Amino acid sequence: MTFQRYRLLALLTCIGMFLVLIAGVLVTNTDSGRGCGTDWPLCNGKFVPAYTVESMVEYSHRMISGIVGLLVGATYLVTHFWKPARHRENLLYAGGALLFTVMQAILGAMAVKWEQSSIVMALHFGISLFAFTCTWLLYKLVKRQAAEQSGQAVPSSQHRRPSAAASISTGLYKGVVAVIVYCYGVVYLGAFIRHTSSGGACEGWPLCNGEIVPELSGSVAVAFAHRIAALLLLVLIAIVVFYVRKAAGAGSELASIGNKALILVVLQIFSGGLLSFTLSNEDAYVFTGLLHTVIISALFSVLVLLAIRMRQTMKR
């Protein structure tokens, strides 16, 4: 094993976990959750199911998840037993990916065998998001380690560090952690809306059913709350980025990460608007739903990276 091969393994695991996220959204958006009936791990009692759109979508999700599960397990074993990779941070990310992958597999199997409530099923995406974030953080770390091992110059986007005079306070760090927790809440609310098919309760965008504040009842209240929560997330991230730039400097790595988070949250809001405009077009809605998932996954991961870099800076 070399660091370059370890890096490739981490990359494949990260890509695979991303595909698991995408496949899960396809299952939900195409109502294919019962495509294999109540059988698991078989599909409608067969190893290879008869062809229907629902069964193939659900079975593909299972196959991808199984393959990626093996990759996650292999990555953890290499990280644990290969001495050059056995660093605390590597083990934290690899172990986290393994833990959340097992949790999402168990929850997925339970959802097939025993129908779960929308409240529980919304957690499935949240757990998958944690698993993806762990694999992405591991790849970012291993990529830097591989470059250092080979004696190559680390790209400027990775080696920029806050200056020694950077004043990252404990309060600012806790503020970023609070934003991450809040962001997860927004993600969960969005997943709940998807599992309850409440997205169509608010027609139009940015107005909801032609009103600034609609009648807050039933699914309309849930959909409108998600929109307000997303807007507040934009405000919170903008405030965090302002203070990070002020403390670490506009040219620092922390400011760069914060700027990416700000761009992503803006894109996320607009992709949400795009979702509302494609509700009546099933094919387009599947695509916009995937886009919405990709952006929020990137946003959450970038926010976690920001908190980690801030913590590392504070320890210097």
Side-chain angles (χ1 to χ4, degrees):
M1 176 64 69
T2 64
F3 253 103
Q4 291 301 328
R5 290 181 179 178
Y6 182 44
R7 173 188 172 182
L8 178 60
L9 178 61
L11 175 61
L12 291 175
T13 304
C14 181
I15 293 173
M17 192 56 67
F18 176 75
L19 292 177
V20 170
L21 276 176
I22 295 301
V25 174
L26 279 174
V27 169
T28 303
N29 286 359
T30 57
D31 293 322
S32 302
R34 288 293 174 182
C36 286
T38 57
D39 291 332
W40 191 92
L42 298 179
C43 183
N44 293 320
K46 299 179 180 179
F47 183 74
V48 179
Y51 177 79
T52 65
V53 173
E54 291 79 9
S55 63
M56 293 308 295
V57 170
E58 168 64 10
Y59 196 63
S60 297
H61 177 47
R62 293 188 188 184
M63 287 186 63
I64 293 171
S65 298
I67 294 171
V68 173
L70 294 176
L71 280 173
V72 170
T75 301
Y76 176 77
L77 290 175
V78 171
T79 304
H80 183 76
F81 290 106
W82 187 47
K83 189 174 181 179
R86 199 185 305 155
H87 299 288
R88 182 178 178 181
E89 195 173 356
N90 296 60
L91 287 169
L92 176 63
Y93 301 150
L98 181 61
L99 172 64
F100 292 120
T101 298
V102 171
M103 288 177 63
Q104 72 173 352
I106 293 174
L107 186 58
M110 289 175 61
V112 171
K113 301 297 289 185
W114 308 285
E115 189 170 354
Q116 304 292 312
S117 67
S118 298
I119 293 176
V120 175
M121 283 309 301
L123 286 174
H124 192 53
F125 176 75
I127 294 171
S128 299
L129 182 58
F130 277 131
F132 168 73
T133 298
C134 287
T135 60
W136 182 74
L137 290 172
L138 179 63
Y139 171 68
K140 292 280 289 184
L141 177 62
V142 173
K143 182 180 180 181
R144 186 169 68 240
Q145 291 172 339
E148 293 170 351
Q149 285 288 323
S150 62
Q152 298 175 358
V154 181
S156 59
S157 62
Q158 296 181 39
H159 69 57
R160 283 187 296 181
R161 293 289 186 271
S163 65
S167 177
I168 303 300
S169 66
T170 302
L172 181 55
Y173 168 73
K174 290 181 178 179
V176 172
V177 173
V179 171
I180 291 172
V181 174
Y182 178 76
C183 180
Y184 185 79
V186 176
V187 170
Y188 176 82
L189 184 56
F192 178 77
I193 288 173
R194 189 160 61 234
H195 281 284
T196 56
S197 301
S198 301
C202 264
E203 294 183 1
W205 188 89
L207 299 179
C208 178
N209 299 328
E211 299 178 288
I212 297 177
V213 180
E215 181 181 348
L216 300 178
S217 61
S219 57
V220 175
V222 177
F224 185 71
H226 182 58
R227 292 190 179 190
I228 296 300
L231 181 60
L232 180 56
L233 180 62
L234 169 62
V235 174
L236 292 175
I237 290 178
I239 292 172
V240 163
V241 171
F242 172 79
Y243 281 105
V244 166
R245 289 171 62 91
K246 185 177 179 180
S252 67
E253 181 194 33
L254 294 181
S256 176
I257 298 173
N259 291 338
K260 291 173 183 176
L262 187 57
I263 292 172
L264 285 169
V265 73
V266 171
L267 291 175
Q268 180 67 1
I269 289 175
F270 280 110
S271 70
L274 195 59
L275 266 175
S276 67
F277 290 128
T278 56
L279 283 170
S280 58
N281 187 322
E282 185 174 337
D283 294 333
Y285 183 72
V286 170
F287 172 77
T288 54
L290 291 177
L291 179 63
H292 202 56
T293 300
V294 169
I295 297 174
I296 195 60
S297 301
L299 172 60
F300 185 81
S301 298
V302 168
L303 286 174
V304 173
L305 178 63
L306 177 60
I308 291 171
R309 290 288 187 265
M310 290 177 70
R311 183 69 175 175
Q312 292 171 343
T313 300
M314 292 167 62
K315 288 183 176 180
R316 291 194 185 98

